[in-house]
Amino acid sequence: MLLSHTTEYNTKGVLHHMLLDLAAHFFDKLDDMEDPRLFTTHLPLHHLPDHHVKNGYKIIYLNRNPKDRWVSNYTFLNGKLGIPDWTWNEFFDKMILKDDLQGGWFNFTKGFEKAAKVETSNILPVKYEDLKQHPFSTIKKMAEFINVSYTDDIIREIIEKCSFVNIKQHKYDSSRMIDPKHKSTLFRKGVIGDWKNWFTVAQNEKFDEMYREEMKDCTHWCHEILSMLLSQSVEYNTKGSLHHMYLEFAAYFMDKLDEVDDPRLFTIHFPLHHLPTHHVKNGYKMIYLNRNPKDRWVSNYTFLHGKLGIPDWTWDEFFDNMIIKDDLYEGWFNYTREFEKAAHIKKANILPIKYEDLKLHPFSTIKKMADFINVSQTDDFIREIIEKCSFDNIKKHKYDSTRIIDPKQQSTLFRKGVIGDWKNWFTVAQNEKFDEIYKEKMKDCDVDFIYEQ
């Protein structure tokens, strides 16, 4: 539009919508084009014709933040003829991390950025984000670079005509030829920050690390530890099947509770105010175990997924329906705040323990638990418990009563047990949304969780 001094679409004919990368297919027609000729290319600078660079022909080098650029690339290529049918995770591993398409984005960027800094170069760097957020000043700069006259009104009209909605409706898309249905998929959202809905936190960190370089379950675990401390034995499952039942299901085995030897040990997921009143008032001991909520929610999702009577949600659906709503057993935030407050003001006989402390500092944490329940211990005994209750051993030997809700009666309770796996599930947008909720809900609760190892 700047070159033609008009705000009409597609004034330069079909050749002006062809990529210079594909010049071999229409080279014989280049002479038919009127000056000034305008081409689009994705090729790196060193692949452009030498005479073009040496003769000072003008180049507007447009770039975009690489994360949005990769998402745009994936959504455009996905489903196209001759393109592998990759999931996003496969695309991330095979395309983004390898970064070898047409020489790679990093090489492309470094090549143009370095050349643009040379005084004699005829390159104008323009960012996609500047065109979105500051269109007037950016288009004005482009007009001055290619030496065309303009008025403010013309630039405003160009901005209107080249809005994303209008471009999507009117721009000729030659890439439809590689779409199985010959549909145009070139223009999708055009927003800044959509990458947050695709990159998991782990992928984001991995990419950031690469960018810097290139550009210079817990309740059952705790239960078994306590069982060994109480029995003064490092044998698994010494307390019988009732000690693997949740107190919330007591109605199903209430008549058998008297058969359990003292001291009795129960596991429960209920909030504090749902526990028997006499238990709290009489000072019966409670070890309140919690885990950083992000890993906790991922563990919850992977455990529940595919179970009998559970909705067959994707992770994104689970995030919206479970994590954001947070109403299971009245919610994790309510559960945590209530226990933390009760432990702080000593309303009940509570020892707070974090899953992460059991992972990172098992000796001192188990010793603290042993002291709390008044059982004798030696250092060797604690070390033996640590070995027997390592994640691999627990996964192999721990009785799992939850297999009754698995369609194949398989145990899926113990999966990874690592700190920080949430980064492979939460997208950056989900992580930011959760952090915002956490900040609001926990503003009066002083508890620090460990989110990565």
Side-chain angles (χ1 to χ4, degrees), residues 202-218:
Q203 288 170 341
N204 186 46
E205 290 185 350
K206 198 167 190 177
F207 184 84
D208 285 347
E209 182 181 347
M210 183 178 172
Y211 185 96
R212 285 192 297 269
E213 178 63 25
E214 289 283 350
M215 311 291 280
K216 271 198 177 169
D217 213 297
C218 55

Side-chain angles (χ1 to χ4, degrees), residues 178-240:
I178 61 171
D179 186 84
K181 298 180 180 179
H182 295 285
K183 290 183 177 180
S184 174
T185 60
L186 188 60
F187 306 99
R188 190 177 61 96
K189 286 186 174 181
V191 299
I192 300 170
D194 187 43
W195 63 270
K196 295 179 180 180
N197 298 308
W198 294 81
F199 279 65
T200 66
V201 173
Q203 288 170 341
N204 186 46
E205 290 185 350
K206 198 167 190 177
F207 184 84
D208 285 347
E209 182 181 347
M210 183 178 172
Y211 185 96
R212 285 192 297 269
E213 178 63 25
E214 289 283 350
M215 311 291 280
K216 271 198 177 169
D217 213 297
C218 55
T219 304
H220 308 271
W221 186 24
C222 183
H223 178 281
E224 197 59 39
I225 291 171
L226 286 169
S227 179
M228 290 183 181
L229 287 171
L230 288 170
S231 65
Q232 295 288 289
S233 165
V234 288
E235 296 300 314
Y236 298 105
N237 310 316
T238 59
K239 292 292 184 178

Side-chain angles (χ1 to χ4, degrees), residues 221-222 224-226 229 287 289 351-371 377-391 394 417 419 450 453:
W221 186 24
C222 183
E224 197 59 39
I225 291 171
L226 286 169
L229 287 171
I287 293 183
L289 179 68
L351 174 67
I353 293 290
K354 295 190 184 78
Y355 176 95
E356 293 78 16
D357 287 335
L358 272 173
K359 284 283 292 183
L360 300 174
H361 316 291
F363 189 92
S364 58
T365 306
I366 294 173
K367 190 171 187 307
K368 188 189 299 182
M369 293 163 65
D371 291 339
Q377 81 276 345
T378 64
D379 289 356
D380 287 342
F381 181 49
I382 291 180
R383 290 189 189 98
E384 198 169 354
I385 290 177
I386 291 171
E387 170 60 25
K388 283 296 188 83
C389 290
S390 67
F391 187 81
I394 284 286
I419 301 170
I450 298 171
Q453 195 166 347

